[in-house]
Amino acid sequence: MGSDIVAALLLLVIPAVLWAIPRTRRMTGNWIVALKSVPVGCSTALFVIFLLAGLAGLNSELWVLIVVPVAFAAAIGAIVGCARFIRKKYRAENRSEIPPFVVLFLLFVCIPGVCSVAYSLIHFAIVQGDWRSFELPPEQGVELAFEERPIHPFQAEYEYRLCFGKADGAVYRYLRVNTGGRTAFNVYRLKDGRLLLRDKDGNYLADAAARQLLVLFEYDGKEYVAACPDRVFHDYGWITQEGETVFYAFDDQKVEAQPLPPDLFDGWSFYGSISNQFFPSAERGELEFR
């Protein structure tokens, strides 16, 4: 969000220069008034975005509903207020026209956005497909690594998988796709030796000896686990019951679920955390999820 502050300050350079020159300061033509007003409105919008999304920490679900409308309204209000102040102060006699304000607003909004998207797409085309691997301490004689891969050119969206073993003997089990937010997992050790991975989207049991990853979920007031697949999946969470058997669906694949032992979490302990690498509990405490 620091880039928003820098961009907002840069936008203010144009009106500042026009106000610093006595001749342009007194001009009341529609284009010159727009040049002194529109950058102020765009800068105001960026400050609003910084305050709401950066400092207040509004998440992606609230972005479109709150941040964008408020920022747009603030921009329009600042533009109108600034233009009226200029015309009143210098007693403008010409008729105010809207097109110059619309053209400049679109120019200031679209050009930086297009440049940012173009840069992000080019950058993503270069790095797409690269898995980043964070090694965990071996478990039950099995090498273990958490891996992530970016799936969006400019947003924090990732595919995740857990790797059991190395080289030709490596077995991969995939987690849910992260559709918004930086990588942040807490890892816990259970009394039976398995590891529990927890992030903002869910909980997983990692069984190194069986080279298996299980997703935890609740159905009809009971806790269950289902084996994660060996491929990327995007649609998940469809739960069905056939007779006494509960199934959990990954895309179009139904997996039979098993009841979770009620005492599974008795005596568990914090083991470490994962963000840009694995940090043992001795180096960093538990992460907080928003």
Side-chain angles (χ1 to χ4, degrees), residues 2 7 12 21 26 39 57 66-67 83-84 86 98 101 116 152 156-157 166 170 210 212 216 231-232 238 275:
L12 295 177
I21 302 173
R26 294 189 295 268
I66 297 179
V67 178
R84 286 181 175 177
I86 295 170
I98 295 178
F101 293 86
S116 176
H152 195 282
E157 299 184 3
K166 285 189 174 181
Q212 191 176 48
L216 282 68
R231 57 177 176 80
V232 175
W238 294 99
S275 51

Side-chain angles (χ1 to χ4, degrees), residues 136 139-140 144 146 162 175 184-199 202-208 212-217 223-225 260 264-274 278 286 289:
L136 279 70
E139 290 293 324
Q140 303 178 37
L144 196 62
F146 178 89
L162 203 60
L175 291 74
F185 282 81
N186 285 324
V187 185
Y188 304 87
R189 180 179 293 283
L190 305 182
K191 65 179 183 180
D192 63 2
R194 290 184 291 181
L195 298 180
L196 174 72
L197 281 71
R198 169 174 290 175
D199 75 340
N203 301 306
Y204 306 86
L205 282 178
D207 189 334
Q212 191 176 48
L213 184 67
L214 307 172
V215 62
L216 282 68
F217 66 95
E223 297 286 342
Y224 292 86
V225 292
L260 192 67
L264 181 65
F265 298 115
D266 292 347
W268 68 336
S269 61
F270 177 60
Y271 184 62
S273 58
I274 302 171
F278 174 74
E286 297 180 66
F289 306 132

Side-chain angles (χ1 to χ4, degrees), residues 89-242:
K89 181 176 178 62
Y90 296 104
R91 300 177 182 179
E93 297 180 356
N94 60 319
R95 181 180 178 183
S96 180
E97 296 180 359
I98 295 178
F101 293 86
V102 175
V103 171
L104 289 178
F105 182 78
L106 293 176
L107 186 66
F108 280 111
V109 170
C110 293
I111 287 182
V114 170
C115 292
S116 176
V117 171
Y119 169 80
S120 299
L121 290 174
I122 293 172
H123 182 261
F124 182 67
I126 296 174
V127 303
Q128 183 181 14
D130 292 341
W131 285 95
R132 295 191 288 262
S133 183
F134 312 138
E135 291 190 2
L136 279 70
E139 290 293 324
Q140 303 178 37
V142 178
E143 299 286 341
L144 196 62
F146 178 89
E147 299 186 349
E148 69 172 18
R149 176 171 65 178
I151 59 173
H152 195 282
F154 46 87
Q155 294 184 4
E157 299 184 3
Y158 304 93
E159 291 175 352
Y160 297 132
R161 68 185 184 185
L162 203 60
C163 177
F164 300 92
K166 285 189 174 181
D168 295 338
V171 174
Y172 297 98
R173 293 292 181 261
Y174 288 78
L175 291 74
R176 296 169 177 169
V177 172
N178 179 359
T179 57
R182 294 293 180 183
T183 298
F185 282 81
N186 285 324
V187 185
Y188 304 87
R189 180 179 293 283
L190 305 182
K191 65 179 183 180
D192 63 2
R194 290 184 291 181
L195 298 180
L196 174 72
L197 281 71
R198 169 174 290 175
D199 75 340
K200 63 182 178 60
D201 294 322
N203 301 306
Y204 306 86
L205 282 178
D207 189 334
R211 287 174 167 76
Q212 191 176 48
L213 184 67
L214 307 172
V215 62
L216 282 68
F217 66 95
E218 183 178 347
Y219 175 71
D220 197 22
K222 299 179 181 179
E223 297 286 342
Y224 292 86
V225 292
C228 294
D230 58 357
R231 57 177 176 80
V232 175
F233 60 91
H234 298 90
D235 188 16
Y236 58 87
W238 294 99
I239 304 171
T240 59
Q241 183 171 3
E242 300 176 8

Side-chain angles (χ1 to χ4, degrees), residues 243-277:
E244 297 296 324
T245 305
V246 175
F247 293 90
Y248 189 92
F250 301 94
D251 291 334
D252 57 351
Q253 177 186 357
K254 291 197 307 182
V255 177
E256 183 176 344
Q258 301 296 328
L260 192 67
D263 60 344
L264 181 65
F265 298 115
D266 292 347
W268 68 336
S269 61
F270 177 60
Y271 184 62
S273 58
I274 302 171
S275 51
N276 60 327
Q277 67 178 75

